[in-house]
Amino acid sequence: HVQLVESGRGSVQAGGSLRLSCKASGFPSSNICMAWFRQVPGQEREGVGVVYTSDGRTYLPDSVKGRFTVSHDNARNTLVLQMNSLKVENSANYYCAAARGGLKCAWGRALPPPGSGDLHWGQGTQVTVS
């Protein structure tokens, strides 16, 4: 049974930092694309970072590069999103997602399409920046 459980929701002032975690179960710890997405009501889901767990390769879009980092703890099979220098516009519901194999994220070189039927999703966690 595949399960992704996010933690670390919270409120922070602009310029502050927040760390989100996503514990995966029912998945192996290697050869998985694990990614973070965020969504604001009325808008499309947007990817903010991905890691290919076999070699730790990561990709982040320009909108967050330099402020966010994504990493995977193989021993705990946990995906981590470290967010620094947060902006008000970063407020959203943040979701963890995972897909078996490296193809969906080009082995860590691209975000997986959020509409992919191969992605498993967590329940989401709210981040508010004020």
Side-chain angles (χ1 to χ4, degrees), residues 14 16-17 19 66 83 101 126:
S17 298
R19 181 182 175 96
M83 302 183 289
Q126 181 66 38

Side-chain angles (χ1 to χ4, degrees), residues 52-81:
Y52 177 55
T53 63
S54 287
D55 59 10
R57 180 185 292 270
T58 62
Y59 171 82
L60 294 96
D62 289 343
S63 58
V64 302
K65 197 175 293 183
R67 299 187 298 118
F68 291 14
T69 59
V70 61
S71 59
H72 181 255
D73 182 333
N74 284 350
R76 294 179 173 82
N77 206 2
T78 297
L79 181 69
V80 176
L81 179 67

Side-chain angles (χ1 to χ4, degrees), residues 8 43 46 64 72 81 93-95 107 122 128:
Q43 296 185 17
E46 173 193 19
V64 302
H72 181 255
L81 179 67
N93 209 13
Y94 282 70
Y95 295 89
W107 295 272
T128 303

